[in-house]
Amino acid sequence: MPPLKYPRWALTLLATAQLIIALDATIIFVALHDMGRALQINAQQLQWVVSAYTVAFGGSLLLGGRAADLLGRRRFYRLGMLLFALASLLGALAPNATLLIVARAAQGIGAALLFPATLALINTLYAEGPVRNRALAIWSMASAAGLALGTLLGGVLTQAFGWPAVLAVIVPLATACAVAAGAWLPADGPRVRGRSFDLAGCLTVTAGGSLLVTTLVQGPEWGWTAPATLICLLLSAVLLTVFVQIEKRSRDPLMQFALLRLPGLRAALGLTFAFMSSYGVQYYFLALYFQDGYGWSPLQAGMAFLLPTLVCTFGIRIAERMLQRRSPRQVLAWGFAAGAIGITAVALAMPHGAGYWPLLPGIVVLSVGQGMSWTAMWIVAGQGVPGPQQGVASGMAATAQQIGGALGLAVLVMVANAARGTQAATSADALQGMVNAQYGAALFAALGVVIALGLRPARVDSAATACLSNEA
């Protein structure tokens, strides 16, 4: 990779990519009510305004990661940004539910091209150690800023300009990043000759992964024993099994299974899963609790997340400083432990508090842990991975993250609904169900502690590295 001419501007572009992805994940929630009313979208279609993005993102990450490795990280950064901009414009102009859902799916594909390319650029442009840790900390802070900005900006834009504004605001930002990347990111090297793109593997893993995420998202709605759920699970298992067989026989496989011999990446798959199953579900359950339990408006609920995201940024800074003296294992163990303690404290305070303040101590603790864990787990994901494989490794870890978010939410929604039964959303039983779900999220955070404690100092698996270097 050529040396950086503009290191600060390059890092700004890479951080802005994560800000856009995080912003898009939260800015849509506040506008959903107005979208449904303006486009006459029923509840099922409205859910797919959110789920279409998740399914396309989670199902396309391996494709995005390997394509960036083979065809160029800067090229796919720019392509992902342009697709994000075009999809956002399409969504803002959508006259009906179908086009809006298609636009959200296209945004998800854009994010799947952008995320692994961005993370691979960080892991190849910045040397492993303090320099890379600093770059990842800034990238993580951009993510926290995007989450905070999304909750606030979504309410302001929807109230002032209507729901299309929450999509239109992304268009100039993503377009500017795509243009600036041509000047501020180093050019991709020459493409390797004689390499083929694993189209069969790409199609099977994208279809199988998308079906799996779809089933996890829709499971609570369809019912876990419903024919649609079981058929989708079976088809997903068949497609992913076919993918494994294709990869074993392919001369240029989409995914090198030797990557799974790298202990850091193996641990990162579990850590990203546990992260989204614990921290990642907090926006969902707390937003519902604020509105159903306290009777807050969506804008009030969004503003309630400003402090947690600021505290999360503080947790990122703590992780950056700790990593100068401590191993990622210790930072992750402390981070996930803070999550387990903080989420439990929130659950204990929810039935007894008449407002936001009793929840605050637990929210502060879990937000610090969230910032610490986010930065450190991506450091672990890149450790020991050869440069030519950084994109697909990032895609693997991000795929586990998306599956963790979908499966964790599905399981915890089932826990919450078991207590609610047929009661109204504002009933005591329904609110107790959300408390029970929080205890479940704390258990997922405790799983993160166990995985973190199992980490050992990064060692180079010479056999795996040689295999990857020869096949990359």
Side-chain angles (χ1 to χ4, degrees), residues 5-97:
K5 289 184 179 179
Y6 310 100
R8 292 186 179 181
W9 287 115
L11 186 54
T12 299
L13 284 179
L14 298 174
T16 303
Q18 185 59 22
L19 183 145
I20 289 174
I21 292 172
L23 175 72
D24 193 64
T26 55
I27 198 171
I28 201 79
F29 287 114
V30 177
L32 285 174
H33 177 74
D34 283 14
M35 285 178 179
R37 185 174 57 187
L39 300 180
Q40 298 183 336
I41 302 175
N42 60 38
Q44 182 67 22
Q45 291 174 320
L46 202 60
Q47 179 185 347
W48 271 100
V49 172
V50 177
S51 299
Y53 177 89
T54 303
V55 169
F57 187 20
S60 304
L61 276 162
L62 276 178
L63 165 63
R66 188 55 175 160
D69 284 339
L70 286 178
L71 305 178
R73 280 78 179 263
R74 186 181 77 167
R75 189 172 290 112
F76 269 76
Y77 176 96
R78 301 182 77 185
L79 180 61
M81 279 292 186
L82 287 174
L83 181 55
F84 224 117
L86 289 172
S88 299
L89 181 60
L90 175 64
L93 299 175
N96 54 55

Side-chain angles (χ1 to χ4, degrees), residues 238-250 257:
V238 169
L239 285 166
L240 293 176
T241 301
V242 171
F243 166 70
V244 171
Q245 296 304 314
I246 290 171
E247 298 306 282
K248 287 180 177 178
R249 292 169 171 78
S250 176
F257 288 110

Side-chain angles (χ1 to χ4, degrees), residues 255-403:
M255 188 181 87
Q256 308 288 349
F257 288 110
L259 282 167
L260 295 175
R261 294 166 60 183
L262 300 175
L265 183 57
R266 282 202 310 270
L269 298 180
L271 291 167
T272 56
F273 181 97
F275 182 94
M276 287 302 291
S277 301
S278 53
Y279 292 116
V281 301
Q282 294 306 304
Y283 276 85
Y284 179 87
F285 286 109
L286 289 178
L288 284 179
Y289 194 85
F290 293 153
Q291 293 177 76
D292 294 337
Y294 299 159
W296 289 1
S297 70
L299 183 56
Q300 286 175 306
M303 292 181 69
F305 286 106
L306 288 178
L307 179 60
T309 49
L310 290 174
V311 176
C312 179
T313 303
F314 178 64
I316 292 168
R317 292 300 302 271
I318 291 175
E320 182 189 355
R321 293 178 181 274
M322 283 186 68
L323 286 164
Q324 295 174 6
R325 305 181 302 274
R326 308 287 185 185
S327 67
R329 172 180 180 266
Q330 293 170 302
V331 175
L332 283 163
W334 280 106
F336 275 101
I341 293 168
I343 295 169
T344 301
V346 167
L348 289 170
M350 286 168 90
H352 307 295
Y356 182 71
W357 298 111
L359 305 179
L360 198 56
I363 286 175
V364 168
V365 173
L366 77 88
S367 297
V368 170
Q370 180 178 2
M372 293 173 65
S373 304
W374 175 261
T375 302
M377 73 183 186
W378 291 112
I379 290 172
V380 169
Q383 283 183 339
V385 179
Q389 295 286 336
Q390 283 286 349
V392 74
S394 300
M396 290 167 65
T399 299
Q401 176 192 357
Q402 292 300 308
I403 292 173

Side-chain angles (χ1 to χ4, degrees), residues 111-122:
L113 301 181
L114 183 60
F115 183 90
T118 300
L119 201 53
L121 282 166
I122 291 175

Side-chain angles (χ1 to χ4, degrees), residues 442-465:
L443 290 176
F444 278 120
L447 172 64
V449 176
V450 173
I451 296 170
L453 290 176
L455 277 169
R456 292 293 177 263
R459 293 176 300 179
V460 177
D461 184 331
S462 56
T465 302

